Amino acid sequence: MTERIVVVAGALVRDGRLLAARRSAPPDLAGRWELPGGKVEPGETPERALVRELREELGADTRALERVPGEWPLKPGYVLVVWAARLLPGSAEPAPLEDHDELRWLTPEEIWDVDWLDQDVPAVKGALPWI
Ligand code: DCM
């Protein structure tokens, strides 16, 4: 069986804006923007993995709403899937605690102002209907 590692990322939307996070590591990805998220652990659902990753990386409490259709290849053996998500009432304001050094809430007009990771570009396009 071929191992396939799923990376789940969140299209976190609030007030018609999408959260973009600028990576601080590794060096080849640093400075590029992504939908925040991370690897799904064995036995974990993508929804739970996303909530866990966004709490670790942003300090925020979120809920995964709906899967954005599609999946996108990352490095060999890795695939990116995306869920639309929202902040829970009472959540702390997201902050770049881990892996990121800047966050931006982008309006639809601003979406392409940041330098998204190549592999995140189709994922962001897929998420546009949720913004
Ligand atoms: N990744 C990506 N796009 C995202 C989230 C993650 O390309 N929106 C990639 C970066 C890493 C891998 O997935 O190669 C695992 O992510 P992390 O290092 O955040 O766990």
Side-chain angles (χ1 to χ4, degrees):
M1 190 188 106
T2 308
E3 289 296 326
R4 200 180 77 135
I5 295 172
V6 177
V7 174
V8 61
L12 191 57
V13 174
R14 179 174 67 186
D15 300 335
R17 293 171 181 254
L18 175 69
L19 186 72
R22 190 172 69 185
R23 289 195 68 108
S24 51
D28 56 320
L29 303 183
R32 310 283 302 277
W33 294 75
E34 68 174 8
L35 300 174
K39 296 183 200 76
V40 179
E41 305 286 352
E44 193 178 41
T45 64
E47 295 98 315
R48 289 186 65 90
L50 180 64
V51 168
R52 175 181 54 72
E53 289 281 348
L54 296 184
R55 189 180 301 120
E56 289 170 6
E57 294 186 357
L58 307 175
D61 293 318
T62 61
R63 177 170 185 171
L65 297 177
E66 269 189 288
R67 169 94 184 262
V68 173
E71 53 175 58
W72 300 279
L74 301 174
K75 55 196 172 188
Y78 285 69
V79 64
L80 176 68
V81 301
V82 174
W83 286 73
R86 66 172 172 77
L87 286 174
L88 290 179
S91 168
E93 182 66 18
L97 304 181
E98 247 184 30
D99 299 343
H100 304 108
D101 60 7
E102 192 178 340
L103 302 179
R104 282 185 66 178
W105 290 96
L106 301 169
T107 66
E109 295 72 30
E110 294 168 338
I111 288 287
W112 305 113
D113 289 356
V114 302
D115 185 19
W116 294 101
L117 290 174
D118 295 344
Q119 56 268 30
D120 278 48
V121 168
V124 170
K125 285 183 183 155
L128 291 177
W130 277 268
I131 303 172

